[in-house]
Amino acid sequence: MTPPASQRTSRGRRPGAPDTRAEVLAAARASFAEKGFRATTIRAVAASAGVDPALVHHYFGSKDDLFLAALQMPVDPREVLGPVVALGPDGAGERLLRTFLSVWDDPETQVQLLAVVRSVIAADGATLLQEGFIPVVVGPVLAQLVADRPEERIPLVASQVIGLIVTRYVLALPPMAQMPAEDVVARVGPVIQHYLTGDLPQSRST
Protein backbone atom coordinates (compact mmCIF):
# COMPACT_ATOMS: atom_id res chain seq x y z
CA MET A 1 0.00 0.00 0.00
CA THR A 2 1.40 3.39 -0.98
CA PRO A 3 1.55 5.87 1.94
CA PRO A 4 -0.10 9.25 1.46
CA ALA A 5 2.04 12.03 0.08
CA SER A 6 2.29 13.72 3.47
CA GLN A 7 3.97 10.61 4.91
CA ARG A 8 6.38 9.87 2.08
CA THR A 9 10.09 10.39 2.71
CA SER A 10 11.80 12.40 0.01
CA ARG A 11 15.04 11.09 -1.42
CA GLY A 12 17.95 12.66 -3.23
CA ARG A 13 19.28 16.16 -2.81
CA ARG A 14 17.39 18.60 -0.67
CA PRO A 15 15.29 21.20 -2.47
CA GLY A 16 15.42 24.85 -1.51
CA ALA A 17 14.57 25.52 2.13
CA PRO A 18 14.75 28.59 4.38
CA ASP A 19 18.18 27.54 5.68
CA THR A 20 19.54 26.15 2.41
CA ARG A 21 20.86 29.49 1.18
CA ALA A 22 22.78 29.98 4.43
CA GLU A 23 24.23 26.47 4.18
CA VAL A 24 25.38 27.11 0.62
CA LEU A 25 27.02 30.37 1.71
CA ALA A 26 28.78 28.60 4.58
CA ALA A 27 30.08 25.93 2.21
CA ALA A 28 31.23 28.62 -0.24
CA ARG A 29 33.06 30.60 2.45
CA ALA A 30 34.85 27.48 3.64
CA SER A 31 35.85 26.53 0.10
CA PHE A 32 37.06 30.00 -0.90
CA ALA A 33 39.06 30.27 2.32
CA GLU A 34 40.60 26.80 2.00
CA LYS A 35 41.05 26.42 -1.76
CA GLY A 36 41.04 29.98 -3.09
CA PHE A 37 38.88 31.37 -5.86
CA ARG A 38 40.21 29.39 -8.81
CA ALA A 39 39.97 25.96 -7.22
CA THR A 40 36.47 26.53 -5.86
CA THR A 41 33.68 25.27 -8.12
CA ILE A 42 29.92 25.60 -8.00
CA ARG A 43 29.63 21.81 -8.15
CA ALA A 44 31.94 21.31 -5.18
CA VAL A 45 30.12 23.96 -3.12
CA ALA A 46 26.80 22.30 -3.96
CA ALA A 47 28.11 18.89 -2.95
CA SER A 48 29.39 20.25 0.35
CA ALA A 49 26.02 21.87 1.08
CA GLY A 50 24.09 18.79 -0.05
CA VAL A 51 22.17 20.51 -2.82
CA ASP A 52 22.04 20.40 -6.60
CA PRO A 53 24.38 22.80 -8.45
CA ALA A 54 21.34 24.26 -10.21
CA LEU A 55 20.07 25.46 -6.85
CA VAL A 56 23.33 27.32 -6.21
CA HIS A 57 22.94 29.05 -9.58
CA HIS A 58 19.32 29.81 -8.72
CA TYR A 59 20.26 31.53 -5.46
CA PHE A 60 23.47 33.28 -6.52
CA GLY A 61 23.88 33.21 -10.29
CA SER A 62 27.52 32.97 -11.31
CA LYS A 63 30.59 31.95 -9.34
CA ASP A 64 31.58 35.63 -9.23
CA ASP A 65 28.26 36.50 -7.59
CA LEU A 66 28.64 33.62 -5.14
CA PHE A 67 32.09 34.92 -4.22
CA LEU A 68 30.72 38.38 -3.44
CA ALA A 69 27.86 36.90 -1.43
CA ALA A 70 30.29 34.71 0.51
CA LEU A 71 32.32 37.80 1.39
CA GLN A 72 29.09 39.38 2.70
CA MET A 73 29.79 42.64 0.90
CA PRO A 74 27.18 45.25 1.86
CA VAL A 75 27.50 46.75 -1.63
CA ASP A 76 28.38 45.34 -5.04
CA PRO A 77 31.54 47.17 -6.20
CA ARG A 78 30.59 46.54 -9.82
CA GLU A 79 27.37 48.48 -9.39
CA VAL A 80 28.96 51.23 -7.29
CA LEU A 81 31.69 51.83 -9.87
CA GLY A 82 29.31 51.72 -12.83
CA PRO A 83 28.63 55.49 -12.88
CA VAL A 84 32.37 56.19 -12.55
CA VAL A 85 33.08 54.11 -15.65
CA ALA A 86 30.15 55.55 -17.59
CA LEU A 87 31.73 59.03 -17.61
CA GLY A 88 34.94 57.79 -19.18
CA PRO A 89 38.61 57.91 -18.18
CA ASP A 90 39.00 61.69 -17.90
CA GLY A 91 38.79 62.60 -14.22
CA ALA A 92 38.07 58.99 -13.30
CA GLY A 93 40.70 58.94 -10.55
CA GLU A 94 38.94 61.60 -8.48
CA ARG A 95 35.47 60.20 -9.24
CA LEU A 96 36.54 56.70 -8.27
CA LEU A 97 38.07 57.89 -5.01
CA ARG A 98 35.11 60.15 -4.18
CA THR A 99 32.73 57.23 -4.72
CA PHE A 100 34.93 54.91 -2.69
CA LEU A 101 35.06 57.35 0.23
CA SER A 102 31.30 57.97 0.15
CA VAL A 103 30.75 54.25 0.70
CA TRP A 104 33.48 53.68 3.28
CA ASP A 105 32.78 56.86 5.28
CA ASP A 106 29.15 55.85 5.82
CA PRO A 107 29.19 54.60 9.45
CA GLU A 108 26.82 51.68 8.93
CA THR A 109 28.48 50.46 5.75
CA GLN A 110 31.95 50.96 7.20
CA VAL A 111 31.25 48.51 10.03
CA GLN A 112 30.19 45.85 7.54
CA LEU A 113 33.11 46.50 5.20
CA LEU A 114 35.60 46.31 8.05
CA ALA A 115 34.13 42.92 8.98
CA VAL A 116 34.71 41.79 5.39
CA VAL A 117 38.32 43.03 5.43
CA ARG A 118 39.05 41.28 8.72
CA SER A 119 37.47 38.03 7.51
CA VAL A 120 39.62 38.14 4.37
CA ILE A 121 42.72 38.77 6.47
CA ALA A 122 41.79 35.88 8.76
CA ALA A 123 41.47 33.59 5.74
CA ASP A 124 44.08 33.40 3.00
CA GLY A 125 43.70 37.07 2.18
CA ALA A 126 46.43 37.26 -0.44
CA THR A 127 44.98 34.40 -2.45
CA LEU A 128 41.43 35.73 -2.28
CA LEU A 129 42.55 39.17 -3.42
CA GLN A 130 44.88 37.92 -6.15
CA GLU A 131 42.57 35.25 -7.57
CA GLY A 132 39.13 36.59 -6.78
CA PHE A 133 38.45 40.14 -5.76
CA ILE A 134 40.88 42.09 -7.94
CA PRO A 135 40.77 40.15 -11.25
CA VAL A 136 37.13 39.03 -11.05
CA VAL A 137 35.28 41.83 -9.25
CA VAL A 138 37.06 45.15 -9.79
CA GLY A 139 39.51 44.31 -12.56
CA PRO A 140 36.97 44.09 -15.41
CA VAL A 141 35.43 47.40 -14.27
CA LEU A 142 38.72 49.27 -14.05
CA ALA A 143 39.88 47.77 -17.35
CA GLN A 144 37.34 50.02 -19.06
CA LEU A 145 39.20 53.09 -17.78
CA VAL A 146 42.85 52.26 -18.35
CA ALA A 147 44.73 53.53 -21.37
CA ASP A 148 46.78 50.36 -21.87
CA ARG A 149 48.74 47.72 -19.91
CA PRO A 150 45.85 46.75 -17.60
CA GLU A 151 47.99 44.01 -16.07
CA GLU A 152 50.14 46.77 -14.55
CA ARG A 153 47.70 49.64 -14.11
CA ILE A 154 44.96 47.78 -12.24
CA PRO A 155 47.29 46.41 -9.52
CA LEU A 156 48.77 49.90 -9.13
CA VAL A 157 45.30 51.36 -8.56
CA ALA A 158 44.52 48.50 -6.18
CA SER A 159 47.68 49.24 -4.21
CA GLN A 160 46.47 52.78 -3.54
CA VAL A 161 42.95 51.74 -2.61
CA ILE A 162 44.05 48.87 -0.36
CA GLY A 163 46.62 51.11 1.30
CA LEU A 164 43.92 53.70 1.93
CA ILE A 165 41.63 51.08 3.47
CA VAL A 166 44.38 49.94 5.82
CA THR A 167 45.59 53.39 6.89
CA ARG A 168 42.26 55.25 7.07
CA TYR A 169 39.91 52.54 8.33
CA VAL A 170 41.69 49.43 9.64
CA LEU A 171 44.55 51.10 11.53
CA ALA A 172 42.96 54.58 11.67
CA LEU A 173 46.35 56.23 11.37
CA PRO A 174 46.43 60.01 11.82
CA PRO A 175 46.15 62.18 9.87
CA MET A 176 44.57 59.86 7.26
CA ALA A 177 41.76 58.75 9.56
CA GLN A 178 40.69 62.32 10.31
CA MET A 179 41.35 63.88 6.91
CA PRO A 180 38.24 65.28 5.18
CA ALA A 181 37.17 63.24 2.19
CA GLU A 182 37.77 66.04 -0.30
CA ASP A 183 41.33 66.48 1.00
CA VAL A 184 41.95 62.77 0.42
CA VAL A 185 40.52 63.11 -3.09
CA ALA A 186 42.76 66.11 -3.81
CA ARG A 187 45.90 64.30 -2.62
CA VAL A 188 45.33 60.73 -3.78
CA GLY A 189 43.00 61.20 -6.75
CA PRO A 190 45.73 62.46 -9.10
CA VAL A 191 47.90 59.46 -8.23
CA ILE A 192 45.08 57.07 -9.15
CA GLN A 193 44.44 59.06 -12.33
CA HIS A 194 48.10 58.70 -13.29
CA TYR A 195 47.93 54.96 -12.74
CA LEU A 196 44.80 54.78 -14.91
CA THR A 197 45.84 56.93 -17.86
CA GLY A 198 49.26 58.51 -17.32
CA ASP A 199 52.56 57.52 -18.85
CA LEU A 200 54.17 54.56 -17.12
CA PRO A 201 57.84 53.68 -17.46
CA GLN A 202 58.50 50.52 -19.40
CA SER A 203 59.20 47.51 -17.24
CA ARG A 204 62.87 46.61 -17.06
CA SER A 205 63.59 42.98 -17.76
CA THR A 206 65.79 41.24 -15.23
Side-chain angles (χ1 to χ4, degrees), residues 62-133:
S62 69
K63 177 180 168 181
D64 298 356
D65 296 324
L66 177 62
F67 178 69
L68 273 181
L71 288 178
Q72 294 183 299
M73 295 286 293
V75 296
D76 187 332
R78 298 168 299 185
E79 296 179 1
V80 171
L81 294 176
V84 174
V85 173
L87 294 176
D90 291 344
E94 291 191 358
R95 293 198 310 273
L96 188 155
L97 193 53
R98 192 172 286 113
T99 299
F100 166 85
L101 291 170
S102 70
V103 172
W104 268 90
D105 285 349
D106 177 85
E108 183 176 346
T109 306
Q110 185 182 130
V111 170
Q112 299 175 66
L113 287 170
L114 281 171
V116 172
V117 170
R118 291 182 177 119
S119 70
V120 169
I121 293 173
D124 188 353
T127 299
L128 290 178
L129 287 173
Q130 291 172 6
E131 294 185 358
F133 194 78

Side-chain angles (χ1 to χ4, degrees), residues 25-37 39-41 44-45 48 128:
L25 273 179
R29 289 190 196 103
S31 183
F32 286 127
E34 179 182 351
K35 302 176 183 178
F37 181 85
T40 294
T41 64
V45 169
S48 178
L128 290 178

Side-chain angles (χ1 to χ4, degrees), residues 13-14 23-24 27-28 35 41-54 56:
R13 294 187 180 273
R14 292 182 290 106
E23 291 174 3
V24 171
K35 302 176 183 178
T41 64
I42 293 288
R43 186 175 296 277
V45 169
S48 178
V51 300
D52 192 275
V56 180

